[in-house]
Amino acid sequence: MRLIFLGPPGAGKGTQAARIVAKHGIPQLSTGDMLRAAVAAGTPVGVKAKAVMDAGGLVSDEIVIGIVADRIEEPDCKKGFILDGFPRTLAQAEALDAMLASKGLDLDTVLELKVDQSKLVDRIIKRAEEARAAGQPVRKDDDPEVFKTRLDAYNRDTAVVSPYYAARGQVIEIDGMQPVDDVTAVIERALAG
Ligand code: AMP
């Protein structure tokens, strides 16, 4: 099963993708997590990406496409994977098509979490508070001002990705404003198809 999760930052893509991992045993490929790991490790990619990420912008297509191309070559991706946070631009979507086509593979489903953007800043403040309370590090880009920049990047560059897949009839829209467990249940029903 090869899936993509679309939706603005804070829509719940990471949370829902993690639940599919647990149930279906396919890896979650979060470009945000991979980039954060590169930043933490101080790799050349991490050094290039850090300032852009801290400011809430998008890392270059070239870097992100390279990361995903390497990652899907790993043996654990043979059974499939869930892309979380990629593709975020049309160029990334086209590059993904080319990667999959070169392997004779296709996508199964694109799940789009639809949310009320006016509620997302509150959600992100809550996410930061919960992380702090649990003694976990708070993401720098979960600062409300930076978050607004991330949302702008989504509306400017990423919102066009959904129509790209919808034109092929691959998008299933999910109401992401429901309680987390309800969203999971809807997704599972959609995947059971
Ligand atoms: P996320 O964890 O998906 O919210 O991503 C955190 C940050 O990583 C984003 O705000 C971007 O700076 C960067 N990032 C993650 N995925 C991508 C991508 N596919 N294209 C460009 N930048 C990305």
Side-chain angles (χ1 to χ4, degrees), residues 33-115:
D33 284 351
M34 292 186 244
L35 288 166
R36 279 185 288 278
V39 170
T43 67
V45 161
V47 170
K48 276 194 206 149
K50 185 177 186 313
V52 181
M53 292 174 73
D54 285 350
L58 290 185
V59 174
S60 76
D61 287 333
E62 191 193 352
I63 287 182
V64 181
I65 290 165
I67 290 178
V68 173
D70 288 346
R71 183 65 185 86
I72 64 173
E73 292 297 332
E74 299 286 325
D76 64 336
C77 290
K78 284 224 160 62
K79 289 191 285 183
F81 46 79
I82 307 165
L83 287 164
D84 158 17
F86 180 94
R88 254 176 162 98
T89 64
L90 273 188
Q92 292 178 18
E94 286 164 0
L96 177 64
D97 275 345
M99 279 178 225
L100 293 175
S102 73
K103 296 171 181 295
L105 300 173
D106 198 3
L107 289 167
D108 293 293
T109 304
V110 179
L111 297 166
E112 181 175 17
L113 290 173
K114 303 291 277 188
V115 289

Side-chain angles (χ1 to χ4, degrees), residues 120-144 147 150:
L120 289 181
V121 177
D122 285 346
R123 254 198 201 190
I124 225 71
I125 291 172
K126 204 169 142 219
R127 173 156 98 182
E129 277 168 2
E130 282 170 1
R132 219 171 277 122
Q136 291 162 355
V138 177
R139 281 173 55 172
K140 244 193 197 151
D141 60 355
D142 274 354
D143 163 89
F147 184 77
R150 291 165 62 201

Side-chain angles (χ1 to χ4, degrees), residues 14 34 45 111 149 170 184 188:
M34 292 186 244
V45 161
L111 297 166
T149 307
Q170 286 180 310
T184 307
E188 284 304 335

Side-chain angles (χ1 to χ4, degrees), residues 145-162:
E145 280 312 309
V146 178
F147 184 77
K148 284 180 197 150
T149 307
R150 291 165 62 201
L151 213 45
D152 287 344
Y154 172 83
N155 289 321
R156 189 184 55 239
D157 298 318
T158 310
V160 291
V161 173
S162 170

